[in-house]
Structures are given as structure tokens and as C-alpha cells.
Amino acid sequence: MTTTAVTHIASLVTNDPSLGNGTPLGLIQDAAVVIDGDRIVWTGESSKAPATDNVLDAAGRAVIPGFVDSHSHLVFAGDRTQEFNARMSGQPYRAGGIRTTVAATRAASDEALSANVARYLAEALRQGTTTFETKSGYGLTVEDEARALRIASRHTDEVTYLGAHIVSPDYADDPAGYVDLVTGPMLEACAPHARWIDVFCEQGAFDGDQARAILTAGRAKGLHPRIHANQLTYGPGVQLAVELDAASADHCTHLTDADVDALGQGDTVATLLPGAEFSTRATWPDARRLLDAGATVALSTDCNPGSSFTSSVPFCIALAVRDMGMTPDEAIWSATAGGAAALRRTDIGRITPGARADLVLLDAPSHVHLAYRPGVPLVSAVWRSGQRVA
């Protein structure tokens, strides 16, 4: 293995408050990073960088950790342009649109689904995403859900079983029977291919009792809970997430004071998905309220064909700063270290010795430009596990 130093970095985001300026971002000015194999082995001032086999001059540009997108739905087929057009013409968003994607996904070949995942991952990688989670949830039969997870696991280790996305159209008149399927034969087939279990706890999907039964069954099979919580209405999702020690409660749009307090006092990360609010013209989550309560906040894309068809974390950062009350520093932390926390990972989302060498070089002097220059392709280079991949 050879060592590589990236030097003359104008502003380095380490996400280690013991470094640099002592803030949560641990900013180091005129910095350098040394990579050995797939790991970071040194960070500090550029003038003090040790000798290495290779040197790359960042020429006064910023470096940040690779984005950690901890919530996406990429195993799908089909297109929901008409649904989006209808929403933009005044029709409200409802969870039932998922059924359209279910039909298309069931009809698609394994090859087509895998190619689709690869396509959107390449798109995300070019925009700086080096770690991503993705889910099943568009099959809703034992065979199709297991197939989706097998396909997802070819592309990432962060795979989530979401048989409880909605009640399958095949069980429209028997939701209790579908819960039995999700917690029985479907779980048996899917658990070997996943790390996580998720449920859409929402009106039109699964209520609190159903969600508890599904997540508890998954936990008994070794899958750790995460939950779609409080997206469209107030509901029990957030409280259930904290009760079951879910890694993440995702969406968190409609929160009571008790919900906010629970997230502030627990270990469950509040993952905010501004692409969904943007694409559905829904109420923005109040990130400021969560942060002021001491909650850990992650930012992710929710990339899916219906309610948030974006793979761009920089776009979500800009939305979070403009419309959700986050500062640029908070948004970049939430899109990197926050996403890592939502996946309960300590080896990603930071640039410190021992961390995986996932770095993004920006064509800008500061991470603030991600919000300051929305829509501009500022990602100049990407390293994942020490290899330059974009």
C-alpha cells in the first residue's frame, strides 16, 4: 500500500471537536490529510504533514467527509412523473402512490433492478455520497422482498428490510394477515440479507401496535429497528422508536413537545429528509427545535421514485439551511457524522486517524458554499476507502 497526502486544504471538516477550532466540525485551516490504504492516518496543518509516497495539492479548496445517506429506497422500477405533476398541480400527497411502484418493481427483472440501483448510486457518488443505506419495500411478497434485499446487498452493507412499507395490495382486505406475513415467512426469507428492519408508521400504512409487532419480531431475528415516523401526521412513531431503541426515527415532520423531548433525551437519531417536503409541498421539519432540545439530527435524501426523487445530499443541505432552521455547520455535520450516527457507525462521517478514508474535495474554499451556492456542482473529487472514485 502507498500513502497519499492531500495538502494545502483551505478548510478541513474533521467532525472531531478536539481538533482545529474546537467546534463540532473540528475545522482545521490550511490543513492536510494523509491516507494509508483505506484509512486516514493523519490530519493537521499542511506545513506539518509527514512525508508520503504521493501528494495531491488541494490548492486552497475545502475537504469534507463523504456524505452518509442513511435513508434511501433504490430497489425499484418504473416512473411516477404523472403523480409528481399532479401534486405540483394541487393534489395532496398520500402514501398510496407506493402501489404504482410496487406493480412496476414486481414486473422488472433482477438485472433491471440491479442496474437501476447502480445508476443512482453512481449519480450519488459523483455528488459526494460514499455511504448509503437502502431498503426493500416495493415488492411486498416474500419472493420480491427477499429479491430486493439480495440485490441491495450487492451494492451496500447497509440494507433494510421494509416489507412493512404499506399493506400489500394482495392483502387490502386483510391487513392483520399481512402483518402476520411480514413478521413470519417474509421475515424468515429476508432477515439473512439485511441489517435493519423498518416500518412506515403512518395513517394509510401501519398503526402503532402493528409497527411495534413488526419491529419487535425483526429485533428477535437480529435486525435492528429504524422507523418512518411522523411524516404526514402526528402519531406514535417517534415514541415507539425511542422505546425500542431504534437507530433512527425518519422524517419527524409532525412532532409534539413530548416527541422532541424523547428524541433529545434518547439515543435515537432524528433523520430529516427535506427532499420529501420539497417534492410534496409539505410542512418543513423544524430542525432548530430538535437541535435546541439536544437531539442528534441526520440529513438524508430519501431518494425514491415517488416523494423525493433526488440523490443529491448537497441539495438537501441547502434546503435544510434555507427552510429548516439549520446553520451551514449543523447541516454539513448532520449529512456526514449525523448520518453515521443514524447507522450506528463510528468509522465513517469524520476525517480523523482510524476512520475510513472517505473524502470529498470541493471546488470551493469552504463547506458553507454547499448552501451558499445551491444547485452548483461543487464536488471536484471523491475518495471512498482510500480510492479516488470520482
Side-chain angles (χ1 to χ4, degrees):
M1 292 187 293
T2 59
T3 55
T4 300
V6 184
T7 62
H8 300 116
I9 300 166
S11 177
L12 172 66
V13 173
T14 68
N15 286 336
D16 184 343
S18 71
L19 300 175
N21 64 356
T23 67
L25 292 190
L27 288 172
I28 304 176
Q29 307 298 325
D30 191 16
V33 175
V34 175
I35 301 168
D36 187 351
D38 65 350
R39 297 286 147 176
I40 303 293
V41 295
W42 187 89
T43 59
E45 296 177 12
S46 190
S47 62
K48 299 177 181 177
T52 56
D53 300 310
N54 302 303
V55 177
L56 173 70
D57 190 341
R61 291 173 287 180
V63 169
I64 63 174
F67 298 125
V68 180
D69 191 346
S70 60
H71 185 127
S72 72
H73 305 250
L74 298 182
V75 187
F76 71 88
D79 181 274
R80 284 159 67 181
T81 303
Q82 291 182 345
E83 178 187 320
F84 176 79
N85 192 34
R87 283 202 307 271
M88 296 303 104
S89 302
Q91 297 181 23
Y93 170 68
R94 295 184 178 88
I98 293 166
R99 294 179 180 86
T100 303
T101 302
V102 169
T105 303
R106 288 180 179 180
S109 68
D110 289 12
E111 292 75 18
L113 292 175
S114 187
N116 212 36
V117 175
R119 171 189 174 191
Y120 292 115
L121 291 182
E123 183 179 275
L125 185 64
R126 291 194 298 270
Q127 298 174 87
T129 298
T130 52
T131 302
F132 68 95
E133 175 271 359
T134 202
K135 311 174 192 296
S136 65
Y138 292 127
L140 310 187
T141 67
V142 173
E143 179 181 350
D144 285 307
E145 286 295 295
R147 169 174 87 129
L149 295 173
R150 287 195 303 269
I151 290 169
S153 65
R154 298 172 194 165
H155 301 274
T156 180
D157 294 331
E158 301 295 347
V159 178
T160 301
Y161 165 46
L162 183 60
H165 202 177
I166 59 169
V167 174
S168 169
D170 308 320
Y171 284 79
D173 298 324
D174 186 16
Y178 186 64
V179 172
D180 289 342
L181 182 71
V182 168
T183 57
M186 189 181 287
L187 176 59
E188 289 286 341
C190 290
H193 308 292
R195 180 183 179 202
W196 306 97
I197 185 167
D198 198 345
V199 59
F200 189 10
C201 184
E202 186 60 71
Q203 291 181 15
F206 298 89
D207 65 24
D209 290 340
Q210 292 169 327
R212 178 181 285 103
I214 290 164
L215 295 179
T216 300
R219 193 166 59 178
K221 282 290 183 182
L223 304 182
H224 202 87
R226 48 201 323 110
I227 186 168
H228 283 61
N230 302 52
Q231 178 186 3
L232 307 177
T233 57
Y234 293 96
V238 164
Q239 296 291 336
L240 182 60
V242 175
E243 173 193 329
L244 296 180
D245 187 35
S248 181
D250 297 29
H251 287 290
C252 294
T253 307
H254 299 277
L255 301 180
T256 65
D257 289 344
D259 293 332
V260 174
D261 289 344
L263 289 166
Q265 295 169 16
D267 295 326
T268 297
V269 174
T271 297
L272 306 184
L273 309 166
E277 279 68 41
F278 177 86
S279 296
T280 61
R281 286 183 173 162
T283 302
W284 295 103
D286 189 345
R288 181 83 271 130
R289 185 180 176 204
L290 287 162
L291 290 164
D292 288 348
T296 300
V297 173
L299 277 179
S300 292
T301 63
D302 191 18
C303 186
N304 76 83
S307 60
S308 183
F309 204 5
T310 179
S311 59
S312 175
V313 174
F315 173 64
C316 292
I317 287 172
L319 292 179
V321 171
R322 170 62 178 81
D323 292 304
M324 288 165 43
M326 300 186 89
T327 68
D329 283 11
E330 290 166 340
I332 192 71
W333 190 95
S334 293
T336 52
L343 296 175
R344 298 204 164 162
R345 297 273 297 270
T346 58
D347 61 326
I348 55 176
R350 59 193 179 94
I351 300 177
T352 55
R356 198 172 78 182
D358 295 350
L359 295 80
V360 175
L361 177 66
L362 299 178
D363 193 14
S366 166
H367 65 279
V368 178
H369 280 237
L370 291 167
Y372 179 43
R373 304 194 68 207
V376 178
L378 294 178
V379 173
S380 177
V382 181
W383 287 261
R384 183 170 58 193
S385 296
Q387 299 294 314
R388 186 166 178 173
V389 291

